[in-house]
Amino acid sequence: MNAEAVNPTSPGPVPPAATGAVAPAPRRKSRPRIDLRRLGRAALLGSTTRSRGLPDAIGHVVEAHRAHHPDADLDPLRRAYVLAESSHRGQMRKSGEPYITHPLAVTLILAELGAETTTLTASLLHDTVEDTEVTLDQVGEQFGAEVRYLVDGVTKLEKVDYGAAAEPETFRKMLLATGNDVRVMSIKLADRLHNMRTLGVMRREKQERIAKVTRDVLIPLAERLGVQALKSELEDLVFAVMHPEEYAHTRELVQENAARADDPLAAVADEVRGVLREADIQAEILIRPRHFVSLHRVSRKRGTLRGADFGRLLVLVQEDADCYAVLGELHTCMTPVVSEFKDFIAVPKFNLYQSLHTAVARAQDGQVVEVLIRTHQMHKVAEAGVVALGNPYAQPSDDQSAGDGERADPTRPGWLSRLLDWQRGAPDPDTFWSTLREDLAQDREITVFRPDGGTLGLPDGATCVDAAYAQYGEDAHATIGARVNGRLATMSTVLRDGDTVQLLMGQDPASEPSREWLEHARTPVARIAIQRRLAAHPEHAPETDEPTRGPAAPGA
């Protein structure tokens, strides 16, 4: 929200685009950076219009929107801008700019990610109900129920208290405000990104407080929703506030590398183009510089950075099969680093991410170059996550219809569904908060296989207990043991990526989970289910780690 804004020229975090680093996501074509002062002047004029009947101030939003949605109806955007500008007229940001520059900037962020028209309309209006005389009913009358719902959700998010004492309730309120439509959270993330970009004139302690909340609450949510473009820039802006010395050092490294005469990434990119040209594979090869936080992590891991560490190659193709064709050519014609190969196409990550990851070594000096291979559509989803998946209220296509007659919601990934279930099932706010914080802290997910060929996505460090509740929900209370890769295992066995897990179920539906299962549960769904069951039947809860009614694994 408006929070506090600053003059972009004042001291404070330096956005990556201003440091010489390249933005995390390649754009279809370069656009000049938004001049908020020029937009402020246009906003004050208000009545100035373009030949297409659109105010000058939203011309850049329209351009970005048209790039993704060429046939979009622009009338709602025009009307939303007129209402927002007139409602916010006279309000100023702390930088002295007209307040309308903020919703314009937020809307541009979403437009460049590919958000549809309804989301952009709500984004232009996202502060009107809280900060002006405009009411929700007026928004609904002029723009419909969808826009009203989104504006209402963002308004509720703005009222969430992010203070330390309120943390256990923060996520509950955010999830209730989000409901089943993650577009609410998308607007909130873009809103926070613009405020983080303009954080510099605040007191140091306030900058740190806002950066900490962004780090602990909003960045993990951006990761879970797959909005990598927002997540990466938010991480860099938080890095600049929380660790200014390390940020300055990383910035210097980027600038020094940019001044190098030779670029190993460019050399390998040319070599890859030649390999794929000979194989008659149509592909676009791009160099993706690492964002500052990623580079800082690599620096801490590897010590002295080499030229190839400053970025990765991105290979974009048309079809899924082309991804594997590219992989085969690279591994045939270049030296692969086998340990770096990951297939997130066959087994997508929990946040919708799909890509092939590999690495090849340069023959000249042994430098390792990381390569990402994906289709253009996969790349769109990798950058924008749920924002790229469209309007959940649109008429469903045949492949989106659920078997029970209800429409499948493409913008509600499994993680958000589970999150909504957790907040309803947790016995108290503290339980919900502690389990959720553990889950958000996980930065790696593993995939395990069921005997029927299905898969389960679990956090790194998950056990057979977590697999049981991920597969069977409340019925997992009756689990009596497991087989991991064909061998008997205890429920406390930690699973590895690629394991096959067969859960052994008892016949008694009234079975109770072991109290010690809580020590081995790593997922909120498992911990909350176990706690709820034990609280409901404390006198019957068994005290041993493994039920005596089932098989045990000797020495496990």
Side-chain angles (χ1 to χ4, degrees), residues 16-67:
T19 66
V22 179
R27 297 177 181 174
R28 299 186 181 186
K29 59 180 180 177
S30 61
R31 296 190 186 94
R33 188 168 178 81
I34 301 306
D35 183 346
L36 291 180
R37 294 185 181 279
R38 180 180 60 80
L39 293 181
R41 290 193 295 272
L44 285 176
L45 294 176
S47 60
T48 303
T49 58
R50 297 168 67 91
S51 60
R52 285 180 285 179
L54 291 164
D56 283 333
I58 61 170
H60 56 286
V61 173
V62 169
E63 179 188 357
H65 188 39
R66 285 293 202 194

Side-chain angles (χ1 to χ4, degrees), residues 205-473:
E205 57 272 21
K206 193 153 192 178
Q207 288 187 33
E208 292 179 350
R209 181 179 66 81
I210 293 174
K212 182 177 184 298
V213 171
T214 303
R215 180 195 66 193
D216 294 344
V217 178
L218 296 176
I219 287 177
L221 280 173
E223 167 73 14
R224 292 307 193 274
L225 298 177
V227 194
Q228 293 297 322
L230 297 189
K231 179 219 170 194
S232 297
E233 188 174 349
L234 283 171
E235 281 187 327
D236 284 349
L237 293 168
V238 168
F239 184 38
V241 173
M242 302 296 289
H243 305 283
E245 293 182 1
E246 290 91 336
Y247 177 85
H249 175 66
T250 305
R251 182 181 175 183
E252 288 177 5
L253 291 176
V254 170
Q255 292 172 333
E256 290 172 4
N257 182 68
R260 289 167 51 108
D262 63 316
D263 184 355
L265 287 171
V268 175
D270 288 339
E271 187 176 350
V272 170
R273 290 187 184 98
V275 167
L276 299 184
R277 190 181 305 114
E278 289 186 12
D280 197 25
I281 298 175
Q282 298 294 321
E284 182 179 2
I285 292 89
L286 305 170
I287 296 175
R288 286 200 63 162
R290 293 182 184 274
H291 67 289
F292 284 14
V293 170
S294 174
L295 192 60
H296 178 65
R297 290 170 182 158
V298 172
S299 175
R300 294 182 62 181
K301 178 181 178 181
R302 302 179 185 173
T304 303
L305 294 174
R306 306 174 78 180
D309 294 327
F310 284 83
R312 298 182 243 187
L313 294 188
L314 174 64
V315 181
L316 298 177
V317 294
Q318 293 300 323
E319 305 291 340
D320 291 14
D322 295 335
C323 295
Y324 294 97
V326 169
L327 181 72
E329 292 296 330
L330 292 184
H331 282 193
T332 299
C333 301
M334 309 176 80
T335 305
V337 181
V338 179
S339 60
E340 295 294 319
F341 172 68
K342 295 181 181 66
D343 187 345
F344 294 118
I345 295 178
V347 184
K349 295 180 72 174
F350 62 91
N351 60 2
L352 314 175
Y353 177 84
Q354 288 184 286
S355 188
L356 295 179
H357 289 203
T358 190
V360 294
R362 291 187 81 201
Q364 300 93 317
D365 53 14
Q367 289 196 58
V368 174
V369 177
E370 297 181 28
V371 185
L372 311 178
I373 309 167
R374 61 182 71 141
T375 67
H376 289 277
Q377 176 61 22
M378 290 175 191
H379 180 61
K380 180 179 178 181
V381 175
E383 292 299 298
V386 295
V387 178
L389 295 186
N391 182 353
Y393 292 93
Q395 188 67 27
S397 60
D398 292 339
D399 59 349
Q400 288 178 322
S401 298
D404 58 2
E406 294 184 4
R407 180 177 53 78
D409 186 349
T411 66
R412 188 178 178 189
W415 184 83
L416 182 61
S417 297
R418 295 197 301 272
L419 208 60
L420 293 166
D421 292 339
W422 300 340
Q423 69 89 15
R424 285 190 290 266
D428 58 77
D430 289 332
T431 298
F432 173 76
W433 179 247
S434 61
T435 53
L436 185 56
R437 285 293 293 270
E438 291 176 11
D439 183 76
L440 289 172
Q442 293 288 342
D443 59 1
R444 181 173 179 267
E445 184 173 90
I446 64 171
T447 299
V448 299
F449 295 87
R450 305 195 306 255
D452 62 4
T455 61
L456 298 172
L458 299 168
D460 190 25
T463 65
C464 290
V465 172
D466 301 299
Y469 284 92
Q471 183 169 348
Y472 294 113

Side-chain angles (χ1 to χ4, degrees), residues 460-520:
D460 190 25
T463 65
C464 290
V465 172
D466 301 299
Y469 284 92
Q471 183 169 348
Y472 294 113
E474 298 285 339
D475 293 337
H477 299 323
T479 308
I480 59 176
R483 290 182 182 272
V484 177
N485 301 324
R487 303 184 63 180
L488 288 173
T490 62
M491 294 299 287
S492 60
T493 299
V494 175
L495 300 171
R496 298 178 181 177
D497 198 26
D499 280 348
T500 297
V501 181
Q502 179 185 4
L503 298 163
L504 308 177
M505 306 299 290
Q507 300 300 315
D508 183 4
S511 297
E512 302 292 342
S514 166
R515 189 176 298 277
E516 292 188 9
W517 281 9
L518 284 174
E519 298 178 11
H520 309 304

Side-chain angles (χ1 to χ4, degrees), residues 89-170:
R89 188 174 297 169
Q91 296 178 351
M92 309 297 285
R93 305 196 83 204
K94 285 201 170 181
S95 59
E97 298 156 346
Y99 186 76
I100 189 62
T101 59
H102 171 66
L104 277 171
V106 172
T107 304
L108 178 64
I109 290 169
L110 293 168
E112 294 195 328
L113 287 174
E116 39 72 55
T117 308
T118 301
T119 302
L120 301 185
T121 302
S123 176
L124 283 168
L125 299 170
H126 78 270
D127 278 335
T128 54
V129 172
E130 183 176 10
D131 293 343
T132 76
E133 300 299 319
V134 175
T135 67
L136 271 177
D137 288 339
Q138 289 174 320
V139 171
E141 289 171 4
Q142 295 188 42
F143 299 96
E146 270 188 83
V147 173
R148 184 188 193 281
Y149 178 82
L150 297 178
V151 172
D152 186 34
V154 177
T155 301
K156 289 176 180 176
L157 286 182
E158 297 300 346
K159 295 178 181 178
V160 172
D161 182 2
Y162 291 100
E167 281 185 338
E169 282 296 326
T170 296

